[in-house]
Amino acid sequence: MIIIEEEPAGSGVDIPVRRITFTVNGVKKTAEVEPRLLLSHLIRRGLGLTGTHMGCDTTNCGACTVLVDGRPAKSCTMLAVQADGHEIGTVEGLATASELHPLQEGFKEEHGLQCGFCTPGMMLAAKALLDANPDPTEDEVRWALSGNLCRCTGYQNIVKSVLWAAAKLRSEGA
Amino acid sequence: MYPSRFRYEAPRSLAEAIGLLHDNGDDAKVLAGGQSLVPLMKLRFASPGLIVDINNLPGLDYHRTDPDGTLRIGALCRHAYLEHSDLLKTTQPTMAAAAPLIADPIVRNRGTLVGSLCHADPQGDWASVVLALGGSVVARGPGGMRAIPLGDFVTGPFQNVLAPDEIAVEAVIPAAQGTRAGGYLKLERRVGDFATVGVAVALEMSGETVTRAGIALTGVGGSTIAARAAGDALTGRPLTAESIGHAADLAAEAARPRTDHRGSAEYKRHMVRTFVTRLLRRAEPAAERAA
Amino acid sequence: MSQALDEIKIGGLGASRKRVEDNRFIRGKGNYTDDITLPGMLHMEILRSPLAHARIKSIDASKAWAIPGVHLVLTGEMMATSNLAWMPTLSYDTQAVLATDKVRFQGQEVACVIADDPYIAKDACEAIEVDYEPLPVIVNPEQAVAEGAPVIRDDKAGQESNVIFDWEVGDAAGTDRAFEQADVISRLKLHYPRSHPSPIECCGSIADFNRATSKLTVYMTTQAPHIIRAAVALVAELPEHMIRIISPDIGGGFGNKVPVYPGYVCSILASILLERPVKWIEDKSGNLISTGFARDIYLDGEMALRRDGKILGVRMRCDSDHGAFFSDAQPSKFKIGLLHSAFASYDIPVAHLTDRGTYSNKAPGGVAYRCSFRVTEAMFFQERMMQAAADDLGMDQAEFRRMNFVRDDQFPHRTPFGFLTDSGQYGKCLDVGLKAVDYEGFRREQAEARKNGRLLGIGISTMTEPLGAGNSREYDILGIKMFDSAELKVHMTGKAIVRTGARGQGQGHETTWAQIVSHELGIPAEDVVVEEGDTDTAPFGMGTYASRSTPVAGAAVAMVSRKIRAKARKLAAHLLEVSEEDVEWELGRFYVRSAPDRGVTIQECAMAAYSNMPDGMEPGLENTAYYDPPNLTWPFAVYIVTVEVDPETGVWDVLKLVAVDDCGVRINPMIVEGQIMGGLTEAYAMANMQFITFDADGNCVGSNYMDYLLPTAWETPGFELHSEVVTPCPHHPIGAKGIGECAAVGGPAAYVNAVMDALSGTGVRNIDMPLLPDRVWEAITYHRDVSGAPPVRSDD
């Protein structure tokens, strides 16, 4: 269904947009975006995936962390047009239809979250760590998460959550 | 948090990229990692009319050593590749020490060494490393290719000598004549902080003799500082407690720090001296024992 | 034989029940304010002042209006025509919504734009031209009262200086006499720097005025939705029943989301004018530079001591810097919050405290950030003065504290400033802490290390925190008493819903309130759903801050559950066909005393409330309780930190941290520990790296995350938590005390005292927080105290 606006917003001005094609959590998407649109805004507003959060304006907090071709990136510091041809993974893609990802289970088991705002970014950064290093030490976990800020937990339980997930993934893989 | 409007092109070849820059002059900026440029644009400290995104250019994400020992780092080589590089860990101690200290682990997935050199932030870490190693930036433009030593490449804070239609395609670290030693120390208050003070020490040793010494300083001047006198004072002799102390003093003298919320100028100078001393002592355990 | 349920199994008190909230957060299905989209919604951005103090000569918004997609540009002048350019604050002052005559701090709101999307709104903000005439700037209390200082609040009739108030409490004459008797007088001056709660989520609102129904709905990041409703009714002059405030999921509060910010007011006015929803989400720079900061208070403290270590009296002279508007969110009777809770941990006969509050060219605030109304300052001053006094006496830090503690048998105890503390086992907490850290062993290790030039240090901090504001005799905000509430509805199948007047931001209320109901009624916690935050449905409450929820709202949950149980008892008697006196209760079940096998479950009683009531009984099993606490609760803690300081660089690292918290009965031990660890981390941040300062021109240093430093997982130390000491609150229905802020209150001094201890022998008495490497190095090298008070030093 298409609604014809009587007075389209911003009438009279032709703002160039670019057509991009990308996948999000395995699903192919096409969008027409202004070059200046940030990737985080494409994800949150364009796609309605609000699990990726925005917490700062200087690329420090990491609440906006997503996976780009499997590697964590701060989506607030990428342009949406840069997603063209790439695979984006967000927190909504962690669980399958029937099962939570062990990281999600681990964060719940070990009280790795309080307000929940940093949690999606933390889990995705942790996922990339565990993909590369299935048996990390506590130091390696802290190092891998040092680009994600948390204000509530003091990190100790976040580390325990990731180690819980690592143990579960190892036992499932065994 | 919202950049102003701009046009965007994502060329697929270097020639295309250079052509776009040539046609748009000062109004165009190259986007590689974007971890410095995009934040500036979000705060509207930078508002280029055209962004030329070079992330689709093939074959630029390498870092490799030529048969003659020259290290080449492509324009799209991410900090993370360097952080996890066995090549660097085994052959480039100064670089290997610095790589984990760039920004934070997520930023390191996108940001590039070459981009960092072009950005020319006085608090950028790679510039000190490359300066200490005597490295250069290779630029390509419509007229061809040229290699620019880093000391000539940066002319001031956030200013480099690239022509508007030139792209930096590679950083080059010349082959060592002797055995490499050295490291990078950074005083940061937390991961991701800019350096209050950073020191890169890059030595080449022949037996116990220092055949080449490069020392460069981050965050203690309007741009990265090459502590040439300090390096010269070490060259041609073994490292001793005395020569180390003398070099540290010279390096501290070369620093031009400002007193600000990160500390007094005196403190920063002292930290230069401290870091130079620690790095040199590590390079020569005998000197450390004697100290 | 008891057929009672296992309380831990059903998720009652003491169960480390996994959190209900997590189910949505781990899936990325939280519902934070910025996640919400309403049909027709517009977006608002704020233009902020670049200058700290300047007259506004003109504002030209014509270019902004001309940008396609812009619907409205608001300036102070326009707001003034609706009498909305200024609004009342929670401390009976006024605060500019949008600047009219002057800007009074860097970052102050000057104009706002409402447009189709925030990118366009930002473009339009950039196109607004403001002509400023700079004025001299004030960045600390000394400048504020200096000869010839400009009057910042020249908008207030009768305001001829920058002094806001002079406040005092205690016994001046008695304290003077104590000092005359002293063998030793210990003095300490320091500055507790300005800091900011900085939850990761910024503040924001979506105001939605519906012309058809005349109802205003505002989704808002607020820790106190009912207070907001009252404030909006007052400020916007809308009828209270036509205002609905909805506080959705909040990404951290820590006090930052209590005040009423200009952005909220502008979004509300814009929605009313445009008859469309208006969303305002600030950015982190706006949040740090303009919203409710914390602390910024100077202490000149003295302690009168007997030679054997007994404290005879304490004198505290304070100066507090409140920024450009006095908008502290605190109980109205106390100008400087509960600063006078200082020294509640110790048995001190007499004390006197004064505080002078002044204006400055900085953002307004002062009370925020996990502080329970300035108890962070009170306890920091307490423990830093204790540290200095022990040093002056040449006494051991632990023994000096122990000999002055309020003893177990002294409760209830009246502090020198008039608080009545009611319970605690202070000595035992100290014992547990010293043993866990191996105090004796560490002192030996410290001495050995010193011979090799290594600086180790150990720091002790204790705190008694007044939590659970508060009883109606003494506590109110804008005249509204600080009770709280809970409404409980038990459905016919024995499931239930409880709503309270609190509003959690990560503390786990959806999990813990159900545990209280479970404890009182034996209904499994998973059968109880908890809701908070919607003023149309939640009973009236004063919100969640100052660790007041467990003490007050939690108590209300217990009380309403007991009302339900009392009615259920009548239903049970009816079902069992005995009189009420013959009915006994065990968890989840009523039974006949003389025939215990004959019983009915609480669920059967619930069904009966709808289908089988005794004659004359009102049907249903629902009730509400409003709880006016008789007193505050008084948790106590001992925090001990060991550090190593690198004398060459000034960098210090935490070796070990031991926390002994006595917060009475713990509803959910897992959640309590999470709160403590969060507080210890914020304490670490304050002690190590985090602060806001200003240069001589009033430029704010620390207005973004590049300069305002939060520790990452890499820097943050690990914590060893102890829960052995449990002194139940004598007046709380379930014996619980507050806990959320304790570690933020008591933690900073532990870190600072540890570094000071490492430096003992250098003659350094104080380094202001944060103990940045350059400050520590300067102290060690020059054997002098280091201040961090603004203006920040520079070469110029």
Side-chain angles (χ1 to χ4, degrees):
Chain A
M1 177 177 66
I2 300 172
I3 302 296
I4 312 294
E5 295 281 337
E6 289 238 8
E7 284 180 41
S11 57
V13 176
D14 214 0
I15 297 159
V17 294
R18 197 176 173 88
R19 175 166 263 221
I20 57 174
T21 317
F22 53 100
T23 65
V24 175
N25 300 326
V27 177
K28 190 165 172 202
K29 299 276 182 189
T30 304
E32 286 189 354
V33 298
E34 267 197 82
R36 67 170 170 166
L37 184 74
L38 301 177
L39 178 59
S40 50
H41 290 140
L42 171 66
I43 291 169
R44 287 178 53 77
R45 298 195 194 131
L47 301 173
L49 296 171
T50 56
T52 301
H53 302 137
M54 297 184 76
C56 79
D57 47 12
T58 47
T59 314
N60 292 109
C61 78
C64 67
T65 302
V66 299
L67 298 175
V68 177
D69 301 332
R71 303 186 89 117
K74 299 193 180 186
S75 62
C76 74
T77 309
M78 278 181 72
L79 305 173
V81 288
Q82 291 184 280
D84 193 22
H86 293 279
E87 288 175 18
I88 309 294
T90 71
V91 61
E92 290 89 345
L94 270 180
T96 66
S98 52
E99 267 181 15
L100 290 174
H101 189 281
L103 275 166
Q104 292 170 301
E105 291 181 300
F107 269 75
K108 183 169 177 180
E109 283 297 313
E110 297 288 357
H111 190 35
L113 64 146
Q114 291 180 25
C115 81
F117 202 74
C118 76
T119 308
M122 284 285 178
M123 291 192 298
L124 292 174
K127 178 174 191 301
L129 167 71
L130 296 182
D131 285 348
N133 180 356
D135 194 4
T137 63
E138 178 181 335
D139 269 3
E140 285 170 332
V141 175
R142 285 178 178 269
W143 184 251
L145 298 182
S146 59
N148 295 80
L149 296 178
C150 172
R151 207 56 167 144
C152 296
T153 68
Y155 302 106
Q156 188 155 303
N157 281 352
I158 290 179
V159 174
K160 285 164 90 174
S161 303
V162 176
L163 293 175
W164 188 100
K168 179 156 192 209
L169 282 165
R170 285 196 307 273
S171 75
E172 280 176 355
Chain B
M1 195 161 55
Y2 306 102
S4 45
R5 276 208 183 100
F6 54 87
R7 290 167 295 119
Y8 171 89
E9 296 291 345
R12 301 243 153 218
S13 74
L14 194 54
E16 194 188 338
I18 292 171
L20 284 164
L21 292 178
H22 182 72
D23 293 339
N24 287 275
D26 278 331
D27 200 31
K29 279 289 279 179
V30 170
L31 174 70
Q35 303 300 287
S36 297
L37 179 60
V38 174
L40 284 181
M41 292 172 67
K42 285 161 66 178
L43 296 173
R44 302 203 179 197
F45 293 147
S47 298
L50 170 68
I51 289 290
V52 177
D53 181 350
I54 63 167
N55 283 286
N56 292 318
L57 300 188
L60 283 176
D61 59 353
Y62 60 88
H63 72 286
R64 60 169 179 266
T65 310
D66 287 350
D68 69 357
T70 305
L71 175 66
R72 296 184 184 277
I73 300 142
L76 293 176
C77 177
R78 315 280 172 185
H79 305 306
Y81 305 162
L82 300 171
E83 182 187 1
H84 296 112
S85 163
D86 285 331
L87 177 64
L88 254 52
K89 283 175 189 159
T90 52
T91 65
Q92 296 281 0
T94 307
M95 294 191 72
L101 300 176
I102 311 296
D104 67 56
I106 304 183
V107 169
R108 290 199 287 276
N109 282 331
R110 302 285 311 167
T112 64
L113 179 147
V114 172
S116 168
L117 296 179
C118 291
H119 186 61
D121 188 332
Q123 286 175 301
D125 301 299
W126 280 129
S128 294
V129 172
V130 173
L131 200 57
L133 287 165
S136 316
V137 173
V138 175
R140 268 187 180 270
M145 202 167 82
R146 60 174 178 141
I148 308 153
L150 192 68
D152 300 329
F153 182 74
V154 175
T155 53
F158 308 100
Q159 292 159 24
N160 65 50
V161 299
L162 288 176
D165 57 3
E166 274 182 311
I167 297 182
V169 295
E170 186 179 74
V172 177
I173 307 294
Q177 306 309 314
T179 314
R180 290 198 185 280
Y184 186 74
L185 286 176
K186 177 179 183 179
L187 181 68
E188 56 176 2
R189 297 164 295 177
R190 68 160 173 88
V191 169
D193 192 15
F194 281 119
T196 297
V197 172
V199 172
V201 165
L203 304 177
E204 291 174 29
M205 314 283 296
S206 178
E208 300 225 328
T209 306
V210 175
T211 54
R212 188 188 172 280
I215 300 179
L217 314 177
T218 311
V220 284
S223 54
T224 312
I225 292 175
R228 264 179 255 287
D232 291 344
L234 290 169
T235 309
R237 55 177 64 93
L239 288 170
T240 62
E242 208 185 333
S243 71
I244 289 173
H246 184 49
D249 285 341
L250 287 170
E253 268 169 47
R256 295 186 308 274
R258 295 185 59 81
T259 295
D260 61 18
H261 60 280
R262 290 171 180 275
S264 64
E266 184 199 0
Y267 172 72
K268 296 177 186 180
R269 231 181 264 283
H270 162 78
M271 284 308 300
V272 168
R273 186 180 292 108
T274 303
F275 277 170
V276 170
T277 305
R278 288 186 180 186
L279 285 166
L280 290 174
R281 282 196 192 145
R282 279 189 215 166
E284 182 40 78
E288 177 155 19
R289 281 197 297 276
Chain C
M1 181 146 60
S2 171
Q3 296 178 37
L5 303 164
D6 179 332
E7 179 158 3
I8 297 294
K9 276 218 183 78
I10 64 166
L13 283 189
S16 281
R17 186 180 174 224
K18 304 291 181 259
R19 296 195 337 156
V20 169
E21 295 87 334
D22 291 359
N23 295 330
R24 61 186 185 276
F25 293 144
I26 58 179
R27 290 171 168 83
K29 295 291 182 195
N31 192 38
Y32 303 93
T33 301
D34 193 25
D35 297 345
I36 298 169
T37 302
L38 300 178
M41 190 170 77
L42 299 170
H43 297 262
M44 188 179 107
E45 284 289 308
I46 290 178
L47 176 69
R48 299 181 178 280
S49 164
L51 299 175
H53 197 199
R55 213 158 286 292
I56 296 179
K57 288 163 70 184
S58 67
I59 300 181
D60 180 0
S62 54
K63 293 201 181 82
W65 279 104
I67 292 177
V70 169
H71 292 254
L72 178 63
V73 179
L74 282 174
T75 62
E77 204 181 323
M78 293 165 67
M79 304 284 285
T81 62
S82 313
N83 214 23
L84 279 171
W86 291 83
M87 61 178 175
T89 72
L90 294 173
S91 282
Y92 298 105
D93 192 1
T94 50
Q95 172 173 355
V97 176
L98 290 179
T100 49
D101 54 333
K102 288 197 316 190
V103 290
R104 292 173 168 85
F105 65 93
Q106 186 186 53
Q108 185 179 350
E109 300 83 356
V110 173
C112 61
V113 175
I114 294 89
D116 287 338
D117 77 51
Y119 287 74
I120 295 174
K122 189 68 180 177
D123 291 339
C125 281
E126 299 276 298
I128 299 174
E129 290 165 357
V130 185
D131 193 9
Y132 294 105
E133 181 189 297
L135 297 167
V137 169
I138 289 171
V139 296
N140 62 46
E142 200 183 326
Q143 291 176 350
V145 299
E147 189 77 28
V151 175
I152 297 172
R153 295 302 304 279
D154 51 354
D155 60 288
K156 295 179 70 166
Q159 181 77 36
E160 282 162 15
S161 73
N162 292 310
V163 176
I164 310 172
F165 62 82
D166 280 299
W167 195 76
E168 74 173 296
V169 66
D171 177 358
T175 304
D176 286 345
R177 281 194 299 277
F179 274 77
E180 281 155 25
Q181 307 293 323
D183 295 323
V184 175
I185 294 179
S186 174
R187 190 164 187 204
L188 184 68
K189 294 173 78 159
L190 58 81
H191 176 227
Y192 199 141
R194 181 175 277 237
S195 198
H196 194 284
S198 191
I200 305 295
E201 182 206 27
C202 302
C203 298
S205 56
I206 306 173
D208 182 16
F209 180 70
N210 184 327
R211 172 60 70 197
T213 61
S214 295
K215 187 139 185 190
L216 171 71
T217 303
V218 189
Y219 298 85
M220 181 195 276
T221 54
T222 177
Q223 300 172 226
H226 288 98
I227 297 183
I228 298 294
R229 186 179 69 186
V232 171
L234 234 133
V235 172
E237 289 173 354
L238 291 169
E240 199 180 356
H241 65 300
M242 299 307 286
I243 301 167
R244 180 182 184 191
I245 308 294
I246 299 176
S247 175
D249 287 327
I250 302 182
F254 312 119
N256 186 227
K257 293 168 176 160
V258 173
V260 179
Y261 295 122
Y264 302 149
V265 177
C266 291
S267 68
I268 290 171
L269 178 64
S271 181
I272 292 171
L273 291 173
L274 295 170
E275 295 179 11
R276 288 173 69 168
V278 174
K279 175 187 266 193
W280 167 66
I281 304 291
E282 67 181 356
D283 52 31
K284 186 61 73 188
S285 302
N287 177 258
L288 288 172
I289 208 173
S290 75
T291 64
F293 76 93
R295 325 282 193 264
D296 206 350
I297 179 166
Y298 298 76
L299 166 74
D300 183 350
E302 291 178 295
M303 199 181 283
L305 297 151
R306 209 166 61 195
R307 199 175 316 279
D308 67 346
K310 180 89 183 88
I311 302 172
L312 303 176
V314 170
R315 196 186 273 144
M316 297 165 70
R317 304 268 166 273
C318 299
D319 287 283
S320 52
D321 184 332
H322 297 261
F325 312 107
F326 184 32
S327 67
D328 290 21
Q330 64 197 355
S332 70
K333 286 186 176 45
F334 308 112
K335 294 283 188 199
I336 195 66
L338 304 184
L339 183 65
H340 57 302
S341 63
F343 292 96
S345 309
Y346 303 101
D347 178 19
I348 298 174
V350 73
H352 186 236
L353 181 154
T354 64
D355 177 67
R356 160 167 280 193
T358 51
Y359 288 118
S360 64
N361 292 116
K362 305 175 186 173
V367 171
Y369 199 15
R370 230 164 171 163
C371 71
S372 193
F373 315 121
R374 299 222 185 243
V375 181
T376 35
E377 291 92 310
M379 291 302 143
F380 185 74
F381 293 164
Q382 168 184 298
E383 288 303 309
R384 292 290 299 118
M385 285 177 68
M386 293 299 284
Q387 179 88 2
D391 274 348
D392 289 345
L393 291 166
M395 273 187 78
D396 175 73
Q397 291 288 340
E399 291 320 301
F400 174 60
R401 285 171 172 79
R402 186 197 300 283
M403 73 168 285
N404 283 293
F405 271 156
V406 176
R407 290 188 323 266
D408 296 3
D409 62 358
Q410 286 181 291
F411 290 109
H413 167 75
R414 183 75 60 186
T415 76
F417 293 126
F419 287 101
L420 189 71
T421 61
D422 58 27
S423 55
Q425 299 176 70
Y426 296 177
K428 188 168 174 200
C429 286
L430 183 61
D431 288 338
V432 171
L434 294 175
K435 180 157 183 244
V437 84
D438 186 13
Y439 187 71
E440 306 292 329
F442 185 83
R443 285 293 186 201
R444 284 192 298 272
E445 198 189 332
Q446 179 184 40
E448 263 313 298
R450 193 151 274 164
K451 294 177 189 158
N452 300 324
R454 287 175 59 216
L455 302 181
L456 303 185
I458 183 164
I460 299 172
S461 171
T462 80
M463 65 113 239
T464 300
E465 189 175 2
L467 290 184
N471 69 76
S472 52
R473 289 181 314 279
E474 292 174 277
Y475 293 91
D476 68 87
I477 290 184
L478 287 182
I480 308 169
K481 303 298 182 184
M482 296 185 72
F483 55 86
D484 225 287
S485 59
E487 171 199 78
L488 177 59
K489 299 183 180 188
V490 182
H491 311 317
M492 68 179 73
T493 58
K495 318 293 187 197
I497 180 166
V498 65
R499 296 187 173 97
T500 79
R503 209 306 165 245
Q505 322 103 39
Q507 296 92 328
H509 294 173
E510 291 171 43
T511 305
T512 54
W513 294 163
Q515 292 184 245
I516 297 178
V517 174
S518 196
H519 168 73
E520 296 288 339
L521 292 176
I523 295 176
E526 65 187 1
D527 287 352
V528 181
V529 73
V530 176
E531 277 187 8
E532 289 177 335
D534 182 340
T535 58
D536 267 5
T537 53
F540 189 97
M542 293 297 272
T544 295
Y545 44 85
S547 304
R548 62 185 298 271
S549 291
T550 291
V552 192
V557 174
M559 299 311 283
V560 73
S561 301
R562 291 177 191 180
K563 289 188 187 183
I564 296 288
R565 193 166 82 223
K567 183 168 185 179
R569 175 185 288 275
K570 292 183 176 9
L571 287 157
H574 171 66
L575 289 171
L576 294 166
E577 294 171 327
V578 296
S579 75
E580 243 192 285
E581 296 85 62
D582 295 330
V583 172
E584 292 278 0
W585 163 259
E586 61 185 6
L587 189 66
R589 180 175 179 265
F590 292 101
Y591 62 93
V592 180
R593 186 183 303 109
S594 55
D597 284 348
R598 286 195 58 226
V600 287
T601 63
I602 185 74
Q603 287 81 5
E604 285 166 325
C605 295
M607 180 59 77
Y610 297 90
S611 61
N612 184 2
M613 299 80 69
D615 285 340
M617 175 187 272
E618 215 177 344
L621 196 56
E622 305 180 350
N623 217 321
T624 306
Y626 290 86
Y627 189 75
D628 181 2
N631 191 2
L632 303 172
T633 68
W634 299 96
F636 177 79
V638 171
Y639 302 112
I640 306 182
V641 175
T642 58
V643 301
E644 173 153 12
V645 180
D646 180 341
E648 258 197 315
T649 61
V651 173
W652 53 276
D653 291 306
V654 173
L655 302 172
K656 189 166 183 170
L657 188 152
V658 167
V660 185
D661 280 89
D662 178 2
C663 54
V665 170
R666 299 186 175 198
I667 302 170
N668 182 321
M670 178 187 81
I671 286 181
V672 169
E673 292 193 343
Q675 294 298 302
I676 295 169
M677 288 192 283
L680 290 172
T681 304
E682 289 187 333
Y684 176 70
M686 284 185 265
N688 187 286
M689 62 178 72
Q690 178 184 283
F691 76 129
I692 293 181
T693 191
F694 297 82
D695 70 15
D697 294 323
N699 292 309
C700 182
V701 178
S703 64
N704 61 65
Y705 271 176
M706 290 308 307
D707 291 319
Y708 190 70
L709 303 177
L710 310 191
T712 73
W714 186 247
E715 297 83 34
T716 303
F719 311 114
E720 182 184 308
L721 307 183
H722 288 262
S723 54
E724 299 93 303
V725 187
V726 179
T727 316
C729 174
H731 62 78
H732 190 280
I734 58 169
K737 304 181 180 179
I739 183 61
E741 296 168 320
C742 294
V745 164
Y751 297 102
V752 176
N753 285 345
V755 176
M756 290 297 111
D757 185 64
L759 268 51
S760 64
T762 61
V764 176
R765 227 165 146 66
N766 181 62
I767 302 172
D768 279 345
M769 292 195 291
L771 272 57
L772 296 162
D774 65 291
R775 294 188 188 180
V776 176
W777 176 82
E778 181 183 333
I780 293 172
T781 305
Y782 291 105
H783 295 214
R784 65 183 179 220
D785 289 357
V786 179
S787 157
V792 68
R793 48 191 177 171
S794 72
D795 284 327
D796 314 311

